[in-house]
Amino acid sequence: MLNLKNKLSILVLFSLLSASCLAKDLGPAKSARVLFVAAVASETVPGISVAVADKTGTLWAEGYGYADLENQVAMSPLHTLRIGSVAKVMTAAGMMRMYQKKLIELDTPVTQYTPDWPDFHADITLRQLAAHTSGIRHYKPDANEFLFNKPFADLKSSLALFKDEALLFAPGTQHQYTTFGWTLVSAAMEGADAKRSFKQIMQQEVFEPLAMNDTYFDDQYQIISHRARPYSYYQGELLNSPQTDHSYKWAGGGFIATPSDVSRFAVGQLNEDYLNPEIVKLMFTKAKLNNGEEVNHGIAWDIGFNSYIGRPDYQNEEVQVMMKAMPHVVTHAGGSMGGTTMLILCVDHARAVTVVKNVNGERSADVFLLALNTLSYYHNLHK
């Protein structure tokens, strides 16, 4: 492995002097920078990229460590990284734009939009799919589905992976996270609009109107500028990630982006010219099971810090105070081969932070804590 003996001193110099730092407000950025310099000092963390945005645009974006260890290419705000399941909230934005235009309905059985979904299943709606209450399974660990490395030509072939399997439970009766459910969401979106493919819908309804010029479908064969190299920490060793093809799960985990694009995307949904306020409220409201019980998901988004506030790792008093000081947030995490992501949008402040490290399986740098602390600096919540 690359000798990283002098990594810390190099990174401190880089973080202070590099032109790759974009910052409109050096106060909070200066405070947060200390955390990121410390995080990439770990030899198990190749690189980290962070961006904070509000309605004026990107407030701060900076890269730390390396986008490419072998060639010692420093991480910069221009690098695109695998954002994993954060793709789900982007797909949800495209779906809700279609809903706003009355091209699709949330409570209509998906069989109305895609004939490729078998009618022997109980009726499933887009609302249930988006809230993870559909009964469709997640990955099968023993099948190595997370490591697929073959191209899927279309959504029909992607649906074939799971469409004939029994649901885990009756739709609307339980809550269980699923990436494959979002493959069905994308098939329904494509089926509801005879003129556009899912890729075209995402480009025209999400990427273009929100000026996400550095967000792409993670096609492993396409030449994409500033694509960061993915790494995996496995059995005590930092390795190049195995090659994977994400065409079977574009909607649920198949995008790469800069953190700046992701943070501006999150805030952009609050713009009334993009989505009506009542639609945003629907997205950010907890969904309910058939019996009236609430779940932590709205339309794709994880509502509040409920998924984090009770975890043993976050019982530190300062961490608890920071979470409680931001009662109206929505979040989404992302994990992929060679990428770990945290996105937090504070609705009250219309401010978002995205943190991505180009490694999976690594625990020394907690992207949730890095994101939470960074947003707290910008909210002036630190003492």
Coordinates of all heavy atoms in Angstrom, one line a residue, residues 235-271:
Q235 N -11.1 -6.7 5.8 CA -10.2 -7.6 6.6 C -8.9 -6.9 6.9 O -7.8 -7.4 6.8 CB -9.9 -8.9 5.9 CG -11.2 -9.7 5.7 CD -11.0 -11.1 5.1 OE1 -9.9 -11.4 4.5 NE2 -11.9 -12.0 5.2
G236 N -9.0 -5.6 7.4 CA -7.9 -4.9 7.9 C -7.0 -4.3 6.8 O -5.9 -3.8 7.1
E237 N -7.4 -4.3 5.6 CA -6.6 -3.8 4.5 C -7.4 -2.9 3.6 O -8.5 -3.1 3.3 CB -6.0 -5.0 3.7 CG -5.0 -4.5 2.7 CD -4.3 -5.7 2.0 OE1 -4.8 -6.9 2.2 OE2 -3.4 -5.5 1.2
L238 N -6.7 -1.8 3.2 CA -7.4 -0.8 2.2 C -7.1 -1.3 0.8 O -5.9 -1.5 0.4 CB -6.8 0.6 2.5 CG -7.5 1.7 1.6 CD1 -9.0 1.8 2.0 CD2 -6.8 3.0 1.9
L239 N -8.1 -1.6 0.0 CA -8.0 -2.1 -1.3 C -8.7 -1.3 -2.3 O -9.7 -0.6 -2.0 CB -8.5 -3.6 -1.3 CG -8.0 -4.6 -0.3 CD1 -8.9 -5.8 -0.2 CD2 -6.5 -4.9 -0.6
N240 N -8.4 -1.5 -3.6 CA -9.2 -1.0 -4.7 C -10.5 -1.8 -4.6 O -10.5 -3.0 -4.5 CB -8.6 -1.2 -6.0 CG -7.5 -0.2 -6.3 OD1 -7.7 1.0 -6.2 ND2 -6.3 -0.7 -6.7
S241 N -11.7 -1.1 -4.7 CA -13.0 -1.8 -4.7 C -13.1 -2.7 -5.9 O -12.6 -2.4 -7.0 CB -14.1 -0.7 -4.7 OG -14.1 0.0 -3.6
P242 N -13.8 -3.8 -5.8 CA -14.1 -4.6 -6.9 C -14.9 -3.9 -7.9 O -15.7 -3.0 -7.6 CB -14.8 -5.8 -6.3 CG -15.4 -5.3 -5.0 CD -14.4 -4.3 -4.5
Q243 N -14.8 -4.2 -9.2 CA -15.5 -3.5 -10.2 C -17.0 -3.9 -10.1 O -17.3 -5.1 -10.0 CB -15.0 -3.9 -11.6 CG -15.5 -3.1 -12.7 CD -14.9 -1.7 -12.7 OE1 -13.8 -1.5 -12.2 NE2 -15.6 -0.7 -13.3
T244 N -17.9 -3.0 -10.1 CA -19.3 -3.2 -10.0 C -20.1 -2.4 -11.1 O -19.6 -1.4 -11.5 CB -19.9 -2.9 -8.6 OG1 -19.5 -1.6 -8.3 CG2 -19.4 -3.9 -7.6
D245 N -21.2 -3.0 -11.5 CA -22.0 -2.3 -12.5 C -23.4 -2.0 -11.8 O -24.0 -2.9 -11.3 CB -22.2 -3.2 -13.7 CG -22.9 -2.5 -14.9 OD1 -24.1 -2.1 -14.7 OD2 -22.3 -2.4 -15.9
H246 N -23.8 -0.8 -11.9 CA -25.0 -0.4 -11.1 C -26.2 -0.2 -12.0 O -27.2 0.4 -11.5 CB -24.7 0.9 -10.4 CG -23.6 0.8 -9.4 ND1 -22.8 1.8 -9.0 CD2 -23.1 -0.3 -8.7 CE1 -21.9 1.4 -8.1 NE2 -22.1 0.1 -7.9
S247 N -26.2 -0.7 -13.2 CA -27.3 -0.5 -14.1 C -28.6 -1.2 -13.6 O -29.7 -1.0 -14.1 CB -27.0 -1.0 -15.5 OG -26.5 -2.3 -15.5
Y248 N -28.5 -2.2 -12.7 CA -29.6 -2.9 -12.2 C -30.3 -2.1 -11.1 O -31.4 -2.5 -10.7 CB -29.2 -4.3 -11.6 CG -28.5 -4.3 -10.3 CD1 -29.1 -4.6 -9.1 CD2 -27.1 -3.9 -10.3 CE1 -28.3 -4.6 -7.9 CE2 -26.4 -3.9 -9.2 CZ -27.0 -4.2 -8.0 OH -26.3 -4.2 -6.8
K249 N -29.7 -1.0 -10.7 CA -30.3 -0.2 -9.6 C -30.1 1.3 -9.7 O -29.8 2.0 -8.8 CB -29.8 -0.7 -8.2 CG -28.2 -0.6 -8.1 CD -27.8 -0.8 -6.7 CE -26.3 -0.7 -6.6 NZ -25.8 -0.9 -5.2
W250 N -30.2 1.8 -11.0 CA -30.0 3.2 -11.2 C -30.7 4.1 -10.1 O -30.1 4.9 -9.5 CB -30.4 3.6 -12.6 CG -29.7 3.1 -13.7 CD1 -30.2 2.6 -14.9 CD2 -28.2 3.1 -14.0 NE1 -29.2 2.2 -15.8 CE2 -28.0 2.6 -15.3 CE3 -27.2 3.6 -13.2 CZ2 -26.7 2.5 -15.8 CZ3 -25.9 3.5 -13.8 CH2 -25.7 2.9 -15.0
A251 N -32.0 3.8 -10.0 CA -32.9 4.7 -9.2 C -32.6 4.6 -7.7 O -32.7 5.6 -7.0 CB -34.3 4.4 -9.4
G252 N -32.1 3.5 -7.3 CA -31.9 3.3 -5.8 C -30.5 3.4 -5.4 O -30.2 3.5 -4.1
G253 N -29.5 3.5 -6.3 CA -28.1 3.6 -5.8 C -27.1 3.7 -7.0 O -26.0 3.2 -6.8
G254 N -27.5 4.3 -8.1 CA -26.6 4.2 -9.3 C -26.1 5.5 -9.8 O -25.8 5.7 -11.0
F255 N -26.0 6.6 -8.9 CA -25.5 7.9 -9.4 C -24.2 8.2 -8.8 O -23.9 7.8 -7.7 CB -26.5 9.0 -9.0 CG -27.9 8.8 -9.5 CD1 -29.0 9.4 -8.8 CD2 -28.2 8.1 -10.7 CE1 -30.3 9.3 -9.3 CE2 -29.5 7.9 -11.1 CZ -30.5 8.5 -10.4
I256 N -23.4 9.0 -9.5 CA -22.2 9.6 -8.9 C -22.4 11.2 -9.0 O -23.1 11.6 -9.9 CB -20.9 9.2 -9.5 CG1 -20.9 9.6 -11.0 CG2 -20.7 7.7 -9.4 CD1 -19.5 9.3 -11.7
A257 N -21.8 11.9 -8.1 CA -22.0 13.3 -8.0 C -21.0 14.0 -7.2 O -20.3 13.4 -6.4 CB -23.4 13.7 -7.5
T258 N -20.8 15.3 -7.3 CA -20.1 16.1 -6.4 C -21.0 16.4 -5.2 O -22.2 16.6 -5.3 CB -19.6 17.4 -7.0 OG1 -20.8 18.2 -7.4 CG2 -18.7 17.2 -8.2
P259 N -20.4 16.5 -4.0 CA -21.2 16.9 -2.8 C -21.9 18.3 -3.0 O -23.0 18.5 -2.5 CB -20.2 17.0 -1.7 CG -19.2 15.9 -2.1 CD -19.0 16.1 -3.6
S260 N -21.3 19.2 -3.8 CA -21.9 20.5 -4.1 C -23.2 20.3 -4.8 O -24.2 20.9 -4.5 CB -21.0 21.3 -4.9 OG -19.8 21.7 -4.2
D261 N -23.2 19.4 -5.8 CA -24.5 19.1 -6.5 C -25.5 18.5 -5.6 O -26.7 18.9 -5.7 CB -24.2 18.1 -7.7 CG -24.0 18.8 -9.0 OD1 -23.8 20.1 -9.0 OD2 -24.1 18.2 -10.1
V262 N -25.1 17.6 -4.7 CA -26.1 17.0 -3.8 C -26.7 18.0 -2.8 O -27.9 18.0 -2.6 CB -25.4 15.8 -3.1 CG1 -26.4 15.1 -2.1 CG2 -24.9 14.7 -4.1
S263 N -25.8 18.8 -2.3 CA -26.3 19.8 -1.3 C -27.2 20.8 -1.9 O -28.3 21.2 -1.4 CB -25.2 20.5 -0.6 OG -24.5 19.6 0.3
R264 N -26.9 21.3 -3.1 CA -27.7 22.2 -3.8 C -29.0 21.6 -4.3 O -30.1 22.2 -4.3 CB -27.0 22.8 -5.0 CG -25.9 23.9 -4.6 CD -25.3 24.6 -5.8 NE -24.5 23.7 -6.6 CZ -24.9 23.2 -7.7 NH1 -26.2 23.4 -8.2 NH2 -24.1 22.4 -8.5
F265 N -29.0 20.3 -4.7 CA -30.2 19.6 -5.0 C -31.1 19.6 -3.8 O -32.3 19.8 -3.9 CB -29.8 18.1 -5.4 CG -30.9 17.1 -5.1 CD1 -32.0 17.0 -5.9 CD2 -30.9 16.3 -4.0 CE1 -33.1 16.2 -5.7 CE2 -31.9 15.5 -3.7 CZ -33.0 15.4 -4.5
A266 N -30.6 19.2 -2.6 CA -31.5 19.1 -1.4 C -32.2 20.4 -1.1 O -33.4 20.5 -0.9 CB -30.6 18.7 -0.2
V267 N -31.4 21.5 -1.2 CA -32.0 22.8 -0.9 C -32.9 23.3 -2.0 O -34.0 23.9 -1.8 CB -30.9 23.9 -0.7 CG1 -31.5 25.3 -0.5 CG2 -30.0 23.5 0.5
G268 N -32.6 22.9 -3.3 CA -33.4 23.3 -4.4 C -34.8 22.8 -4.4 O -35.7 23.4 -5.0
Q269 N -35.1 21.7 -3.7 CA -36.5 21.2 -3.6 C -37.4 22.2 -2.8 O -38.6 22.1 -2.9 CB -36.5 19.9 -2.9 CG -35.8 18.8 -3.7 CD -35.7 17.5 -3.0 OE1 -36.5 16.6 -3.1 NE2 -34.7 17.5 -2.1
L270 N -36.8 23.1 -2.0 CA -37.5 24.0 -1.2 C -37.9 25.3 -2.1 O -38.7 26.1 -1.6 CB -36.7 24.5 0.0 CG -36.2 23.4 0.9 CD1 -35.4 24.0 2.1 CD2 -37.4 22.6 1.5
N271 N -37.4 25.3 -3.3 CA -37.8 26.4 -4.2 C -39.1 26.2 -4.8 O -39.4 25.2 -5.4 CB -36.7 26.5 -5.3 CG -36.9 27.7 -6.2 OD1 -38.0 28.3 -6.3 ND2 -35.8 28.1 -6.8

